[in-house]
Amino acid sequence: MDTLALMGEGFILALSPLNILLMVLATAIGVSIGCLPGLSAAMGVALLLPVTFGMSPATGLIVLGSIYCGAIFGGSISAILIHTPGTPASAATAIEGYQLTIRGKAAKALTVACFASFCGGLLSCISLYFFSPLLATLALQFKSPEYFWLSLFGLTIIAGVASKSMIKGLMSGVIGLLISTIGMDPMEGVERFMFGMSTLYNGIDTTCALIGLFSMSQILILAEKKIKERAESAKLNDRLGLSFAEIKRLSPTIIRSWLIGNIIGILPGAGASIASFMGYNEARNFSKHKEEFGKGSIDGVAGSEAANNAVTGGSLIPTLTLGIPGESVTAVLMGGLIIHGLQPGPELFTTYANMTYTFFAGFVIIQFMMLAIGLLGCKGFAQIAKLSDAILIPSIFVLCVVGSYAIHNNLVEVCIMFLFGVLGYLARKFDLNPAAIVLGLILGPIGERGLRRSLMLNDGDPSILFSTPLCWILIILCILGVMSPVVMSKLEKKVQNQ
């Protein structure tokens, strides 16, 4: 009954006029970012993170969640109209979506993508409501040794799965851990690597790091390439909308893709790209219209889009309950939580339950906003997809500088953002993982406190780190996390080759 009361209260708070207005604006911005090839959902969320500082935590998270969901759907617009996925999650959508465009059915393809995205995202909210409190209850049993192993597991899983090379992924995590040691020692109050700069008293500002690693580095990547105009997008000559027969036909595909996307989302590090290809592959295997695949199949578009949007709700579950982000976007969202003074874990479902359930309710409403904005604005977003890099690069550069300066009105933090931009650029060039660097930066202090408190409680004896069944479960998960790149690379190759 308490949970139902919190859910009801969450919807009442989420439906405030301010939240509704911000949801509409943020979702539209997210779709715009998503439909621009070369930009990513993580970059968009990191770039607009400073805007949420003056908001309440619940409203701030709703805004970031709107950008996240909007960007994942937005990638399908350019994938369908100009055969260029706006985000990696829409790569599978381009296969069938563009074929439908060639056949003069661009509006039909966009309608299917929008409807499937809505259903996948909405259904993923069910697991968000159901599984999050269960995992949070388990997290209540965590003490200092468990938090040490949990932070280690978070690093191994995302460093492993989200990188082409396990060694490079672990190197990225270690870089983040080293950076996290800058600032005052959390146990003894001793200055570490501060070089007399009071700005570094509380360590590297997470927002500056996020903007630099995901947004400024993207500018540097775009700037080194030849400025090119986007391809002309197709005109929407057919009508938007789906018949009842088409909805009935797509329903089994959407439900299958929801289950696939949700499971992939809950697995830390797997991401929407894998879910998208798996959803597309299963849609093709189970379709009663296999002859349409490769020539423009609405089943293929629905399978891909329902799966990649189902990842959004699933990936929030380990992020909010255990502090282990499902992918790079949720790593940025977790940074947003910490900036607002909130720590992922059981406290979000006890002390801050009202805020958490308001965000959950907002996440449900966001799906309806995405459906409405997607259907009503797809012609306008098709024009945005044509924007040249000559406009994008200086615009994002200005937003990066203004955003990092606005945090504390401090030019030093702008310099820190630039340094992290160069670090993010080099990380991409050497196939390192920016998300793992962020994780090291965020999880480093948690792991350090867990380790040092454990050793202090046991007079320096490390046996306390192996003293409970939960510790051993987390140790096994760490080992599996290190081995996971081999499994995930084989799975990805198998899915893409089928």
Side-chain angles (χ1 to χ4, degrees):
M1 291 301 293
D2 287 343
T3 304
L4 288 173
L6 285 167
M7 288 168 66
E9 189 179 346
F11 273 98
I12 292 167
L13 294 171
L15 285 166
S16 71
L18 176 63
N19 283 342
I20 295 294
L21 175 63
L22 290 172
M23 274 185 228
V24 172
L25 291 172
T27 305
I29 291 168
V31 176
S32 302
I33 290 168
C35 72
L36 285 164
L39 307 188
S40 67
M43 192 221 78
V45 175
L47 192 61
L48 293 168
L49 190 57
V51 177
T52 67
F53 286 173
M55 304 173 188
S56 67
T59 302
L61 283 174
I62 286 170
V63 168
L64 297 177
S66 300
I67 297 166
Y68 179 19
C69 293
I72 295 294
F73 160 67
S76 66
I77 296 174
S78 53
I80 290 167
L81 297 178
I82 60 175
H83 203 223
T84 308
T87 58
S90 297
T93 305
I95 300 169
E96 301 299 331
Y98 189 64
Q99 291 301 317
L100 283 165
T101 298
I102 291 171
R103 288 168 49 192
K105 295 184 176 180
K108 178 69 70 181
L110 285 170
T111 306
V112 171
C114 193
F115 178 71
S117 297
F118 162 72
C119 293
L122 189 64
L123 289 169
S124 76
C125 296
I126 297 171
S127 56
L128 185 61
Y129 270 109
F130 182 72
F131 288 113
S132 296
L134 295 177
L135 268 177
T137 305
L138 174 67
L140 280 170
Q141 300 176 40
F142 285 18
K143 296 180 177 64
S144 294
E146 285 83 5
Y147 274 111
F148 166 68
W149 289 116
L150 183 67
S151 61
L152 207 60
F153 169 59
L155 280 170
T156 54
I157 192 77
I158 201 159
V161 178
S163 300
K164 294 177 183 177
S165 162
M166 182 181 69
I167 300 298
K168 287 182 177 180
L170 293 173
M171 281 172 62
S172 306
V174 170
I175 290 169
L177 285 175
L178 292 173
I179 294 169
S180 75
T181 61
I182 296 171
M184 296 295 286
D185 186 299
M187 305 294 288
E188 297 176 3
V190 178
E191 290 186 9
R192 300 190 302 195
F193 311 114
M194 286 175 58
F195 307 105
M197 297 173 67
S198 58
T199 305
L200 299 176
Y201 184 88
N202 291 317
I204 296 292
D205 187 88
T206 310
T207 311
C208 293
L210 291 170
I211 293 171
L213 285 169
F214 291 101
S215 302
M216 182 54 70
S217 64
Q218 188 64 41
I219 293 172
L220 297 174
I221 294 286
L222 290 172
E224 72 175 357
K225 297 174 183 175
K226 183 181 177 182
I227 299 293
K228 57 182 180 182
E229 298 296 323
R230 307 289 185 201
E232 280 291 322
S233 60
K235 292 183 179 179
L236 306 183
N237 296 319
D238 55 325
R239 290 178 60 191
L240 290 164
L242 291 173
S243 66
F244 178 76
E246 286 170 327
I247 292 171
K248 187 178 177 182
R249 169 183 165 178
L250 294 173
S251 295
T253 299
I254 288 170
I255 291 169
R256 266 194 308 272
S257 291
W258 158 55
L259 293 169
I260 291 166
N262 229 224
I263 292 165
I264 293 291
I266 292 169
L267 294 173
S273 303
I274 294 173
S276 175
F277 277 103
M278 287 185 74
Y280 170 74
N281 185 54
E282 292 308 307
R284 185 176 60 183
N285 289 341
F286 284 92
S287 177
K288 294 178 182 177
H289 307 273
K290 287 186 173 64
E291 71 283 354
E292 293 181 3
F293 279 79
K295 300 172 186 175
S297 168
I298 60 172
D299 291 321
V301 174
S304 164
E305 283 301 301
N308 65 28
N309 279 270
V311 167
T312 56
S315 64
L316 285 170
I317 295 170
T319 306
L320 296 175
T321 56
L322 302 174
I324 302 174
E327 54 174 349
S328 57
V329 191
T330 43
V332 180
L333 278 170
M334 191 168 112
L337 263 177
I338 292 166
I339 288 158
H340 279 284
L342 302 168
Q343 190 65 48
E347 274 200 349
L348 289 181
F349 296 85
T350 52
T351 310
Y352 303 105
N354 285 339
M355 184 279 298
T356 304
Y357 280 95
T358 302
F359 171 53
F360 284 2
F363 204 76
V364 173
I365 300 164
I366 286 164
Q367 311 309 321
F368 289 92
M369 296 293 177
M370 185 175 69
L371 178 66
I373 290 168
L375 291 175
L376 296 173
C378 57
K379 290 184 180 180
F381 292 122
Q383 300 305 311
I384 291 171
K386 296 193 299 180
L387 276 178
S388 166
D389 286 347
I391 297 169
L392 284 178
I393 292 170
S395 301
I396 299 169
F397 179 86
V398 170
L399 287 172
C400 287
V401 173
V402 171
S404 54
Y405 178 75
I407 300 165
H408 297 117
N409 297 334
N410 191 336
L411 279 173
V412 174
E413 293 186 337
V414 177
C415 297
I416 291 170
M417 181 273 293
F418 277 121
L419 288 173
F420 273 90
V422 173
L423 176 62
Y425 171 80
L426 293 173
R428 293 178 190 220
K429 285 293 174 185
F430 289 100
D431 286 328
L432 297 175
N433 184 3
I437 297 174
V438 171
L439 257 288
L441 185 62
I442 292 171
L443 294 177
I446 298 169
E448 182 185 1
R449 280 194 294 269
L451 175 63
R452 291 175 67 180
R453 281 176 183 167
S454 300
L455 295 175
M456 283 174 67
L457 288 168
N458 211 35
D459 297 325
D461 185 355
S463 63
I464 191 173
L465 299 173
F466 309 92
S467 58
T468 66
L470 268 176
C471 284
W472 281 105
I473 291 169
L474 289 165
I475 290 167
I476 292 166
L477 288 173
C478 287
I479 295 166
L480 292 174
V482 172
M483 294 166 57
S484 59
V486 180
V487 179
M488 294 308 294
S489 62
K490 286 184 178 178
L491 177 64
E492 197 166 1
K493 285 177 185 175
K494 184 180 176 182
V495 167
Q496 291 181 359
N497 291 334
Q498 283 181 347

